């Protein structure tokens, strides 16, 4: 038998004598000059240089082999070393070449092992044990189902005028009025009136009551005002807006009083949002089957220049946001990141927070998952994210919560990588085998969170806050998500499911 050791590849050349127990072993190293001369002497010809790159197939020690299912020797699970020793001792003509990672594969260890397989590739394990029973089942993605069947008349009767009820039922282009949000969701007034009584707070003006302040802020969000000054000026001059919000006392509000009272209701916004999320779950607007994570950058009222004396930004809680465009990294601005998890059925938010924009995607993702699971008893089956938080710790955090991570892997990731038809990569070790064929469809759902972010930027003009500080950033994010939840609830109660995630719905003034 002649074994030829080449540059990065090995192959066996068997002869008839190998099977007659008459063999002669000649080892020729093609890496040295002496080995090449010896090759010419033995074969009588010069060695042709191999220009084509060899095909390398890297497998893990956990992968099943055909020999695992043959004869009684492999009836029980054995270590790979025991299997190799068995063949090497019993069969003298059976040779197995093992790759020595310590010496011959230093370059592969340094660069990391990488094996890309298609998510539609059939594995040997698909045909053994009980796994075939799962594969034969038709596995489907838990898509959204229809919301709870409730007569919209039950909500609108004796609440909305008859002409508006008929318009919602018969006119598809009628998108409602701003006042419909507050009329059909009386829980807003009830909740913040109770909060105001519980803390024994009496505002100077009736307009500055907690429920009225939140109504004004949601109206500012729905109408697309980017700053406080222009909205307060229009409110003081626009009688139609006062009438729409049912604040007709004629009092004029100032910027300082408005911001002061808005900051007072900040600690209670998350609790109120939880009641809205639970109501959406009861009405089957949120399914908690698939969650999707993403981050959205928004600027703050900060120039991005550090002070000479302190070396800090004018907003010390904010940070620079750098985004990679092609081969270069570009500074987008200074501000915060809206880290949000939405449900796949209607793109409604289930958790959100505002953090420093300079933080890494992995850090933000892991903190968001931990805080989200603590804040609710619900848990999805899948959690989808882009390649930003791609890392082993991020996947492990999701796995520890009992959720399957569908996190896109980077193109240069190492390990066993699944590749879909559209070219998306995923880490196979964190995804059950039965869901490999669904990866493409599952990852397509990630566009839902992108549409939600688009509604924030395009629909509500919420790409920059006119304030500074982390508390104001959290208020800014909470108001936008509460407005989305109230819009969805209002659309359901008027029987218009097409308006559930429409930013342009319920923003007109009934003049």
């Amino acid at each position: 038998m002649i074994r030829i050791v080449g540059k990065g590849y090995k192959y066996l050349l068997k002869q008839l004598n190998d099977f007659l127990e008459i063999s002669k072993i000649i080892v020729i190293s093609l890496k040295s000059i002496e080995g090449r001369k010896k090759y010419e002497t033995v074969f009588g010809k010069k060695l042709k240089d191999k220009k084509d790159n060899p095909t390398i197939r890297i497998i893990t020690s956990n992968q099943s082999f055909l020999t695992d299912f043959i004869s009684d020797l492999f009836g029980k699970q054995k270590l790979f070393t025991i299997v190799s020793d068995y063949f090497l001792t019993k069969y003298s003509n059976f040779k197995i070449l093992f790759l020595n990672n310590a010496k011959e594969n230093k370059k592969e260890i340094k660069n990391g092992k990488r094996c890309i397989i298609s998510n539609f590739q059939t594995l040997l394990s698909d045909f053994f044990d009980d796994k075939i029973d799962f594969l034969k089942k038709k596995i489907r993605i838990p898509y959204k189902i229809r919301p709870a069947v409730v007569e919209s008349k039950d909500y609108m009767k004796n609440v909305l005028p008859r002409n508006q009820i008929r318009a919602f039922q018969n006119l598809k282009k009628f998108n409602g009025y701003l006042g419909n949000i507050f009329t059909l969701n009386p829980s807003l007034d009830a909740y913040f009136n109770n909060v105001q009584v519980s803390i024994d707070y009496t505002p100077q003006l009736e307009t500055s009551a907690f429920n009225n302040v939140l109504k004004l802020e949601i109206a500012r969000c729905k109408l697309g005002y980017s700053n406080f000054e222009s909205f307060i000026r229009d409110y003081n001059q626009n009688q139609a807006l006062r009438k729409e919000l049912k604040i007709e006392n004629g009092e004029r509000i100032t910027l300082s009083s408005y911001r002061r009272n808005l900051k007072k209701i900040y600690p209670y916004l998350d609790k109120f949002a939880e009641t809205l999320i639970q109501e959406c779950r009861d009405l089957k607007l949120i399914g908690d089957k698939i969650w999707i994570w993403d981050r959205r950058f928004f600027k703050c009222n900060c120039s991005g220049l550090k002070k000479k004396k302190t070396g800090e930004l004018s907003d010390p809680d904010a940070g620079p946001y750098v985004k990679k465009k092609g081969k270069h990294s570009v500074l987008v601005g200074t501000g915060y990141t809206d880290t949000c998890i939405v449900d796949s059925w209607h793109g409604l938010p289930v958790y959100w927070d505002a953090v420093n924009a300079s933080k890494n995607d992995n850090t933000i993702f892991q903190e968001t998952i931990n805080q989200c699971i603590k804040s609710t008893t619900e848990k999805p089956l899948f959690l989808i994210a882009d390649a930003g938080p791609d890392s082993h710790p991020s996947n492990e955090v999701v796995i520890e919560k009992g959720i399957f991570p569908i996190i896109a892997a980077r193109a240069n990731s190492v390990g066993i990588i699944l590749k879909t038809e559209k070219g998306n990569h995923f880490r196979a070790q964190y995804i059950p085998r039965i869901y490999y064929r669904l990866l493409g469809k599952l990852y397509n759902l990630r566009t839902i969170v992108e549409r939600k972010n688009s509604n924030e930027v395009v629909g509500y003009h919420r790409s920059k806050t006119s304030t500074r500080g982390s508390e104001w950033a959290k208020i800014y994010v909470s108001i936008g998500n509460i407005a989305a939840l109230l819009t969805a609830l209002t659309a359901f109660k008027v029987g218009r499911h097409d308006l559930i995630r429409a930013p342009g719905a319920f923003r007109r003034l009934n003049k």
Side-chain angles (χ1 to χ4, degrees), residues 59-65 68 77 80 125 131 416 429:
I59 58 177
T60 64
S61 59
N62 297 327
Q63 181 168 338
S64 300
F65 295 89
D68 297 342
Q77 186 177 4
F80 190 75
S125 57
K131 294 183 179 180
I416 301 180
Q429 64 190 95

Side-chain angles (χ1 to χ4, degrees), residues 1-4 10-14 93 95-97:
M1 181 179 69
I2 300 176
R3 182 180 67 174
I4 300 177
K10 304 175 183 179
Y11 58 92
L12 297 176
L13 181 63
K14 294 186 178 181
N93 290 329
K95 301 296 181 182
I96 300 178
L97 297 180

Side-chain angles (χ1 to χ4, degrees), residues 210-442:
F210 283 179
N211 62 324
N212 290 334
V213 170
L214 183 58
K215 285 181 181 180
L216 289 168
E217 189 62 12
I218 292 174
R220 185 174 77 90
C221 174
K222 293 292 294 182
L223 297 175
Y225 285 89
S226 58
N227 55 70
F228 294 117
E229 292 83 355
S230 59
F231 174 73
I232 292 175
R233 181 176 61 252
D234 288 354
Y235 170 79
N236 289 330
Q237 298 174 359
N238 193 342
Q239 294 297 326
L241 180 57
R242 291 171 175 265
K243 184 178 179 181
E244 196 71 26
L245 302 177
K246 295 183 180 180
I247 308 175
E248 303 182 38
N249 49 27
E251 298 173 344
R252 298 176 66 88
I253 57 175
T254 61
L255 176 62
S256 58
S257 64
Y258 181 80
R259 294 182 60 174
R260 181 173 62 253
N261 288 281
L262 180 58
K263 200 168 185 178
K264 283 184 177 295
I265 68 173
Y266 158 67
Y268 310 101
L269 290 177
D270 290 342
K271 290 294 183 182
F272 174 64
E274 290 177 6
T275 62
L276 297 179
I277 293 172
Q278 187 57 47
E279 187 177 357
C280 290
R281 288 189 171 115
D282 296 338
L283 299 176
K284 294 184 180 180
L285 296 176
I286 293 178
D288 293 315
K289 300 297 183 183
I290 302 175
W291 286 355
I292 310 166
W293 174 88
D294 197 13
R295 63 181 293 186
R296 179 182 69 90
F297 168 74
F298 61 93
K299 297 181 180 180
C300 66
N301 188 14
C302 176
S303 63
L305 301 177
K306 295 183 178 180
K307 298 179 181 179
K308 293 183 179 180
K309 294 183 179 180
T310 61
E312 295 181 351
L313 299 171
S314 57
D315 185 354
D317 298 330
Y321 179 65
V322 178
K323 188 174 183 178
K324 191 172 183 179
K325 294 184 178 180
K327 297 182 179 180
H328 306 283
S329 297
V330 180
L331 178 63
V332 179
T334 304
Y336 297 87
T337 287
D338 173 12
T339 170
C340 183
I341 297 177
V342 303
D343 185 74
S344 64
W345 281 6
H346 295 284
L348 298 179
V350 296
Y351 179 82
W352 57 82
D353 196 5
V355 296
N356 189 310
S358 63
K359 285 189 175 182
N360 181 268
D361 280 4
N362 284 283
T363 304
I364 296 175
F365 177 80
Q366 295 170 28
E367 292 177 352
T368 302
I369 298 303
N370 290 327
Q371 295 300 324
C372 178
I373 297 301
K374 288 181 181 178
S375 64
T376 181
T377 57
E378 301 295 334
K379 189 168 60 176
L381 179 63
F382 300 104
L383 192 141
I384 304 174
D386 59 5
D390 171 41
S391 66
H392 291 291
S394 295
N395 282 275
E396 291 168 359
V397 165
V398 180
I399 288 290
E400 290 173 358
K401 304 297 186 294
I403 306 171
F404 297 134
I406 310 297
I407 302 176
R410 295 181 178 87
N412 59 349
S413 300
V414 298
I416 301 180
I417 306 299
L418 298 173
K419 186 176 181 180
T420 63
E421 291 179 336
K422 292 186 177 181
N424 297 317
H425 299 78
F426 301 92
R427 297 186 183 273
Q429 64 190 95
Y430 300 107
I431 303 173
R433 175 73 181 92
I434 58 177
Y435 297 116
Y436 281 7
R437 297 176 185 269
L438 299 179
L439 284 176
K441 293 183 178 179
L442 283 170

